[in-house]
Amino acid sequence: MCYHTFNGAFRHYVCVTCRLSFKTSAWPIRKRVCPDCREQLVYAGYDFAAPRRRDAKAWSVVATVLAEGLTYDHRPGCGCSRLPSFRPRTPAQVRVRRRAAERLGLPLSVVLARRDAFTPESRDEDHRPPSATKLEKA
């Protein structure tokens, strides 16, 4: 059974443009809207820690991670896995991972989740570039 189910954890929702975050329960399922700009809030995960509202650099990193479809769940999926997920915290870490994604030909979302940008991890195997799989078969 899921860790979050037993502990009644709250889900974090974010408005990146207003730099606001909210914690709400999983029920009821409804559309969540920012009270300032009336845009729909983005799900950020169970373990999201919001940066200070005036920290524009940290919020730009949050926007990049959420735009790639990643969430701030320290454990992939529902929280039952043992491998913690990495998320960049500084703009420099995002820049390094963008360069690595371009050089390796991988999607940015795969490289953002790596602890080391150029070292493959076990969960990356689905996203290998086609040229790498051809070389292995030969």
Side-chain angles (χ1 to χ4, degrees), residues 15-21 34-39 53 59:
C15 178
V16 178
T17 56
C18 299
R19 299 182 191 157
L20 294 173
S21 69
C34 175
D36 289 346
C37 66
R38 307 310 269 167
E39 293 291 324
R53 193 169 184 184
W59 276 101

Side-chain angles (χ1 to χ4, degrees), residues 6 12 17 27 32 34 64 75-76 84 101 104 113 131 136:
F6 283 122
H12 295 257
T17 56
W27 303 100
R32 290 171 173 83
C34 175
T64 303
R75 302 191 184 280
L104 299 173
S131 60
E136 289 176 6

Side-chain angles (χ1 to χ4, degrees), residues 101-119:
E102 290 174 5
R103 288 182 188 170
L104 299 173
L106 293 171
L108 182 59
S109 60
V110 172
V111 182
L112 281 175
R114 290 180 176 180
R115 291 195 182 283
D116 181 28
F118 291 98
T119 306

Side-chain angles (χ1 to χ4, degrees), residues 4-135:
H4 296 297
T5 302
F6 283 122
N7 292 326
F10 288 105
R11 293 180 177 190
H12 295 257
Y13 290 89
V14 174
C15 178
V16 178
T17 56
C18 299
R19 299 182 191 157
L20 294 173
S21 69
F22 302 94
K23 285 193 262 184
T24 61
S25 64
W27 303 100
I29 298 173
R30 59 186 169 87
K31 183 178 177 182
R32 290 171 173 83
V33 180
C34 175
D36 289 346
C37 66
R38 307 310 269 167
E39 293 291 324
Q40 188 169 355
L41 297 174
V42 178
Y43 173 66
Y46 285 103
D47 300 320
F48 177 71
R52 291 187 182 266
R53 193 169 184 184
R54 62 180 170 246
D55 191 357
K57 291 180 181 179
W59 276 101
S60 69
V61 173
V62 169
T64 303
V65 170
L66 295 177
E68 289 299 319
L70 299 173
T71 59
Y72 286 88
D73 290 323
H74 288 294
R75 302 191 184 280
C78 66
C80 299
S81 177
R82 292 184 181 169
L83 293 174
S85 296
F86 174 81
R87 297 294 179 262
R89 298 181 71 124
T90 63
Q93 290 175 338
V94 172
R95 281 193 304 272
V96 167
R97 280 155 180 76
R98 281 188 198 273
R99 287 188 201 122
E102 290 174 5
R103 288 182 188 170
L104 299 173
L106 293 171
L108 182 59
S109 60
V110 172
V111 182
L112 281 175
R114 290 180 176 180
R115 291 195 182 283
D116 181 28
F118 291 98
T119 306
E121 293 184 0
S122 61
R123 58 181 169 246
D124 294 348
E125 293 178 9
D126 301 341
H127 302 286
R128 279 188 277 170
S131 60
T133 55
K134 289 179 185 175
L135 292 174

